[in-house]
Amino acid sequence: MIINFSSSPPSSSYSFTRFINSKSSISDFPSKPKTHFSKYPSSSNFNQYSSSNPSFHTKYRFFRDNGRYPHGKGGSFKTCALSGFDLSGFQSAQSVLEAAAVLTAIIVVHESGHFLAAYLQGIHVSKFAVGFGPILAKFNAKNVEYSIRAFPLGGFVGFPDNDPDSDIPVDDINLLKNRPIFDRVLVISAGVIANIVFAYVLIFVQVLSVGLPVQETFPGVVVPEVRAFSAASRDGMLPGDIILAVNGIELPKTGLNLVSEVVGVIKNNPRRNVMLKVERGKQDIDISVTPDESSDGTGRIGVQLSPNIKFSKVKPKNLTEAYNYAGREFWGLTNNVLDSLKQTFLNFSQTAGKVSGPIAIIAVGAEVAKSNIDGLYQFAAVLNINLAVINLLPLPALDGGSLALILVEAARGGRKLPLEVEQRIMSSGIMLVLMLGLFLIIRDTLNLDFVKDLL
């Protein structure tokens, strides 16, 4: 799993919507968040199909304007970084288990799609594994080995097509490799289809059970925190103030860049007075703030800023409305995933350093679970959509890579590529993904706060 992070952890108890609406420092305004999943294959000595390990890539825009229920325009909010993730305390440990359970369930759903598509067509299946690495527990049923492995961050379905220990004749029509192209395409695509269906079901259940978050935007920018002994504190700003105007220019009610506009003015005026019109309680007051000069020559006043947004939840009045809400939310999240993935490929040199792995995904999920268990619905839905989208990419070791090989076979009039060529292509992709996955797991683990404390 791969995920792209950039932010600070949430500080209050809304659902996942609040979790992604993190505050930005006046001196360090973040770029747009992007996240991304892929998957790590599991190793085996037989023909393995799909080692699912979802990766994460989305802007997490789950907000909608008041009275509107499409995916909305909600602004660019940040996800939670690994910094601040701590395993201390029962609640934290419980939230980690909840996040890991969500991740494992998504993997099981993906692999179950492959398994059922093969099983229902009478295609031989030899193994179904949750996790990879050494086997912790297993049982056999109807010639299929079901196992739980040491590292529950992936999974695979195994077919006996090229297993030297299999007693199935190589020309058996029920071996996957001997099936018509359509049958094989169905088996390969079934994991993606299962994740898409599961994502919609999760959103639909959320709509019926807890409702969807509704965003209402108000004028100005909120100041949730003022640091002690900072320029803002010195000049009279207080937590809870709402900045309505900067140097006589009123801030509009809506706009994706309100916070960055205020930050820009402060940064561009070190040691020069900046006039702020502030709403405090029911009064509007003018405050003159003189930004301190940072080491890089920009101004800073020592506050955190966030959009002036309030949230509520809406529940459907009937099933028809529930289907509509869920459909709009699903397509909104899907569009955000696709857009964010595109931005990552277009700006890969800038985003590559922020890519993180499965440990980071669990860290984010744990923060969501600690904030509000309801947020796990959208967290799980986004993971499912990411896994589906990433798996369709025509890359070795992904489902899309296998589909690409079948497409080549169809273009060659049904003549397959030599087995050695196919194995070389897939093996190179599997090795690359395994190496990347191992690197990210080690790096993300070392970035956890409690690990840093131990070191």
Side-chain angles (χ1 to χ4, degrees):
M1 289 177 235
I2 303 172
I3 185 166
N4 188 349
F5 285 116
S6 169
S7 107
S8 55
S11 58
S12 59
S13 60
Y14 283 116
S15 65
F16 195 37
T17 51
R18 177 57 181 244
F19 166 72
I20 59 178
N21 181 19
S22 58
K23 306 165 188 174
S24 59
S25 169
I26 194 74
S27 61
D28 187 21
F29 187 70
S31 58
K32 293 181 181 179
K34 301 179 181 67
T35 51
H36 170 96
F37 291 152
S38 70
K39 60 182 193 169
Y40 313 130
S42 306
S43 58
S44 68
N45 57 0
F46 53 93
N47 183 26
Q48 114 184 356
Y49 215 47
S50 164
S51 75
S52 67
N53 206 323
S55 50
F56 201 39
H57 195 104
T58 180
K59 291 182 181 176
Y60 283 122
R61 293 187 291 184
F62 302 148
F63 310 99
R64 37 205 58 70
D65 295 332
N66 191 23
R68 298 173 58 198
Y69 310 107
H71 64 278
K73 295 183 179 180
S76 296
F77 298 94
K78 300 194 301 177
T79 56
C80 175
L82 290 177
S83 177
F85 177 64
D86 194 347
L87 291 178
S88 60
F90 172 77
Q91 184 179 9
S92 294
Q94 182 181 13
S95 64
V96 171
L97 292 176
E98 290 168 350
V102 168
L103 197 53
T104 302
I106 292 170
I107 293 168
V108 170
V109 166
H110 182 90
E111 301 307 336
S112 295
H114 293 303
F115 179 84
L116 289 175
Y119 185 81
L120 294 176
Q121 294 185 86
I123 297 173
H124 295 301
V125 179
S126 59
K127 297 190 178 184
F128 184 104
V130 176
F132 55 91
I135 295 175
L136 300 179
K138 69 176 182 178
F139 69 93
N140 290 279
K142 296 184 178 180
N143 298 319
V144 179
E145 178 191 274
Y146 299 87
S147 64
I148 298 176
R149 309 219 168 195
F151 307 106
L153 301 173
F156 61 89
V157 173
F159 299 88
D161 294 33
N162 299 311
D163 184 357
D165 298 326
S166 174
D167 56 1
I168 300 174
V170 294
D171 59 348
D172 190 314
I173 190 62
N174 289 324
L175 287 175
L176 180 64
K177 65 182 180 180
N178 296 331
R179 281 301 186 99
I181 287 178
F182 178 80
D183 293 355
R184 284 180 280 147
V185 167
L186 183 59
V187 172
I188 297 171
S189 306
V192 169
I193 295 171
N195 284 123
I196 291 173
V197 172
F198 191 36
Y200 181 84
V201 169
L202 286 168
I203 296 171
F204 185 75
V205 171
Q206 180 192 12
V207 169
L208 289 179
S209 59
V210 299
L212 286 177
V214 177
Q215 168 186 303
E216 187 173 2
T217 305
F218 296 90
V221 173
V222 177
V223 181
E225 180 180 337
V226 178
R227 293 172 184 158
F229 309 109
S230 64
S233 175
R234 180 180 64 237
D235 293 332
M237 294 192 70
L238 298 176
D241 285 350
I242 300 174
I243 300 174
L244 301 176
V246 179
N247 287 336
I249 301 175
E250 298 284 337
L251 298 178
K253 181 176 180 179
T254 59
L256 300 180
N257 300 315
L258 289 184
V259 174
S260 60
E261 290 174 7
V262 176
V263 171
V265 173
I266 299 299
K267 284 189 171 183
N268 292 331
N269 288 278
R271 298 184 181 180
R272 293 193 292 267
N273 288 342
V274 176
M275 292 300 302
L276 302 178
K277 180 182 178 182
V278 171
E279 177 185 313
R280 181 177 296 167
K282 296 183 179 180
Q283 293 182 330
D284 292 348
I285 60 176
D286 293 325
I287 298 178
S288 177
V289 179
T290 304
D292 295 328
E293 186 171 356
S294 301
S295 58
D296 60 358
T298 61
R300 60 181 301 164
I301 62 175
V303 300
Q304 288 184 326
L305 302 178
S306 64
N308 192 9
I309 294 172
K310 295 182 180 179
F311 302 98
S312 60
K313 289 183 179 179
V314 60
K315 285 190 175 183
K317 300 181 180 65
N318 50 57
L319 280 178
T320 301
E321 207 170 60
Y323 282 118
N324 288 337
Y325 289 176
R328 291 170 181 172
E329 179 74 356
F330 174 81
W331 287 114
L333 295 180
T334 302
N335 287 334
N336 287 339
V337 169
L338 293 173
D339 180 62
S340 193
L341 181 63
K342 180 182 73 173
Q343 293 302 320
T344 292
F345 280 115
L346 293 177
N347 303 283
F348 187 75
S349 59
Q350 286 78 29
T351 59
K354 297 179 181 179
V355 171
S356 300
I359 300 299
I361 297 176
I362 293 179
V364 170
E367 293 293 339
V368 174
K370 281 195 296 184
S371 177
N372 191 323
I373 193 66
D374 297 343
L376 285 176
Y377 283 110
Q378 287 199 342
F379 178 72
V382 170
L383 287 180
N384 273 283
I385 295 171
N386 270 282
L387 179 56
V389 171
I390 295 300
N391 268 281
L392 287 177
L393 296 177
L395 301 174
L398 301 181
D399 295 341
S402 298
L403 289 172
L405 290 177
I406 292 180
L407 183 62
V408 171
E409 176 186 336
R412 287 163 51 89
R415 292 183 297 111
K416 297 181 181 180
L417 291 173
L419 180 61
E420 296 78 9
V421 174
E422 287 192 7
Q423 289 181 337
R424 192 176 298 116
I425 292 173
M426 299 305 291
S427 297
S428 62
I430 289 174
M431 183 59 65
L432 179 62
V433 173
L434 281 173
M435 292 175 61
L436 175 61
L438 180 61
F439 167 76
L440 293 177
I441 288 174
I442 295 173
R443 191 195 66 182
D444 292 344
T445 301
L446 294 176
N447 282 335
L448 297 176
D449 277 359
F450 82 97
V451 175
K452 289 181 179 179
D453 293 339
L454 294 176
L455 299 177

